[in-house]
Amino acid sequence: LGPYFRANTYDLLRKNCNSFTDCALHYLLGQRLDKQYRCVEQIAHTADRHACLIQALSGGGYQPNRNADGFSVDRVILEMHATPLVDGMLGHHGPRPIMAY
């Protein structure tokens, strides 16, 4: 997940801990984060995108991070399936094998 979550790309509404958790859950367990945990931020993002509502309510404290522009959890999950893993296997649905060291 490192290539998708680089330093200075965090955004409160568009690319946050729920975004990472959703991707990590899918990568590790083949499951998605329940939508109830993402709906408030998605509503807020829509309100801010169309009316700058969150920026106004925060007194300018929230400013969209341009480094998060174009980020999509769904796109990350699709790309993970198409990207070869280090051992040459293609990404797949379901849990990843646990490696013993």
Side-chain angles (χ1 to χ4, degrees), residues 27-61:
Y27 180 78
L28 295 170
L29 303 173
Q31 299 176 359
R32 297 291 303 267
L33 183 65
D34 192 299
K35 290 183 183 198
Q36 73 179 2
Y37 300 110
R38 307 261 350 247
C39 69
V40 172
E41 70 198 44
Q42 290 170 345
I43 292 168
H45 170 58
T46 300
D48 197 67
R49 187 176 67 232
H50 294 293
C52 298
L53 182 63
I54 305 304
Q55 293 175 61
L57 291 175
S58 70

Side-chain angles (χ1 to χ4, degrees), residues 4 7-8 14-16 18 29 32 37 43-44 48-49 54 56 61 64 71-72 74 76-77 81-83 99 101:
Y4 301 102
N8 301 314
R14 300 177 297 153
K15 189 177 181 185
N16 53 41
N18 287 340
L29 303 173
R32 297 291 303 267
Y37 300 110
I43 292 168
D48 197 67
R49 187 176 67 232
I54 305 304
F71 177 79
S72 164
D74 292 329
V76 170
I77 288 172
H81 286 286
T83 304
M99 304 302 288
Y101 292 96

Side-chain angles (χ1 to χ4, degrees), residues 72-86:
S72 164
V73 169
D74 292 329
R75 191 188 84 242
V76 170
I77 288 172
L78 285 172
E79 288 179 7
M80 283 192 300
H81 286 286
T83 304
L85 300 177
V86 173

